[in-house]
């Protein structure tokens, strides 16, 4: 985590008991509404991606799209959306992953990544790591190389580290508890 980014927390609203009682939701919409906060966030994520020499960026639906698309525009890199099933119009590959209660799927276009391409995956937040791990698997299934993961928020109290231990993970701010 970048210690200089701790001030970004002032742009993030904490919403208790959302989406259900006992959950504290970290709302990035207030960050997006502040041009300085959003710009600072993109500046820091951009540094990581430039350092990794990425060739493409994968953004995870839906809040990850916001950061990934803006970074792709800044860096003149292709944007690859990772979406829920049935949302992409062309041939896709998908993978299923486990949730706390049940499972879900994520998919990307089957022609979006060439063998050996260096990919950074972007999302707003890391929690359990299930979705991120599934997207890493999709990139690797297509022959891409996941050279980095970049998120705004790390939820330290949730168990993503074990699932993503083989990847270079960059996050800007961290929360220690729910």
């Amino acid at each position: 985590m970048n210690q200089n980014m701790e001030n970004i927390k002032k742009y993030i609203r904490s919403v208790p008991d959302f989406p259900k009682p006992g959950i504290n939701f970290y709302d990035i919409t207030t960050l997006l509404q502040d041009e300085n906060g959003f710009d600072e966030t993109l500046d820091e994520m951009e540094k990581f991606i430039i350092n990794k020499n990425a060739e493409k960026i994968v953004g995870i639906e839906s809040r990850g799209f916001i950061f990934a698309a803006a970074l792709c525009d800044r860096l003149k890199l292709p944007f690859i959306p990772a979406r829920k099933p049935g949302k992409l119009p062309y041939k896709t590959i998908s993978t299923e992953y486990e949730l706390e209660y049940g499972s879900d799927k994520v998919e990307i276009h089957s022609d979006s990544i060439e063998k050996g391409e260096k990919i950074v995956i972007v999302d707003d937040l890391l929690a359990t790591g299930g979705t991120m791990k599934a997207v890493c698997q999709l990139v690797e299934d297509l022959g891409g190389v996941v050279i980095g993961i970049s998120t705004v928020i790390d939820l330290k109290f949730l168990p993503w580290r074990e699932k993503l231990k083989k990847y270079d993970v960059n996050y800007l701010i961290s929360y220690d508890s729910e």
Side-chain angles (χ1 to χ4, degrees):
M1 177 181 67
N2 183 332
Q3 291 300 326
N4 296 332
M5 292 305 297
E6 273 301 301
N7 70 328
I8 205 159
K9 284 184 178 180
K10 71 183 177 192
Y11 300 112
I12 297 174
R13 176 174 33 214
S14 177
V15 182
D17 299 320
F18 183 84
K20 61 184 185 180
I23 302 291
N24 194 26
F25 185 82
Y26 295 104
D27 180 12
I28 62 157
T29 59
T30 46
L31 168 70
L32 300 173
Q33 292 167 7
D34 187 287
E35 64 276 4
N36 294 322
F38 188 45
D39 194 52
E40 258 184 79
T41 300
L42 293 174
D43 286 348
E44 291 303 316
M45 294 176 90
E46 181 178 356
K47 288 175 190 174
F48 175 77
I49 294 167
I50 288 170
N51 186 52
K52 301 304 289 179
N53 294 312
E55 295 175 288
K56 293 181 178 178
I57 297 173
V58 174
I60 299 177
E61 184 174 5
S62 64
R63 292 178 301 271
F65 285 5
I66 298 164
F67 295 98
L71 289 161
C72 285
D73 181 63
R74 283 178 165 212
L75 296 168
K76 305 302 179 219
L77 292 174
F79 169 71
I80 301 167
R83 301 208 61 190
K84 295 174 181 159
K87 302 288 185 181
L88 293 171
Y90 191 63
K91 296 175 189 165
T92 62
I93 64 164
S94 66
T95 191
E96 191 169 327
Y97 59 98
E98 296 303 313
L99 298 170
E100 190 175 354
Y101 301 103
S103 63
D104 206 349
K105 276 187 172 182
V106 64
E107 55 188 30
I108 61 176
H109 279 131
S110 58
D111 63 351
S112 61
I113 296 170
E114 300 291 325
K115 185 173 174 51
E117 283 185 316
K118 297 184 285 185
I119 309 296
V120 170
I121 303 171
V122 170
D123 205 356
D124 66 323
L125 153 143
L126 270 173
T128 65
T131 305
M132 185 63 74
K133 175 73 172 161
V135 173
C136 290
Q137 185 62 54
L138 290 174
V139 169
E140 292 165 350
D141 287 351
L142 289 175
V145 180
V146 178
I147 57 168
I149 292 168
S150 187
T151 69
V152 179
I153 300 170
D154 155 44
L155 298 181
K156 249 186 191 171
F157 54 92
L158 292 175
W160 63 264
R161 283 167 181 74
E162 183 60 31
K163 288 178 187 159
L164 301 174
K165 66 184 175 187
K166 77 176 197 175
Y167 302 104
D168 186 5
V169 178
N170 173 67
Y171 53 86
L172 304 183
I173 60 173
S174 189
Y175 290 95
D176 293 328
S177 65
E178 299 175 50

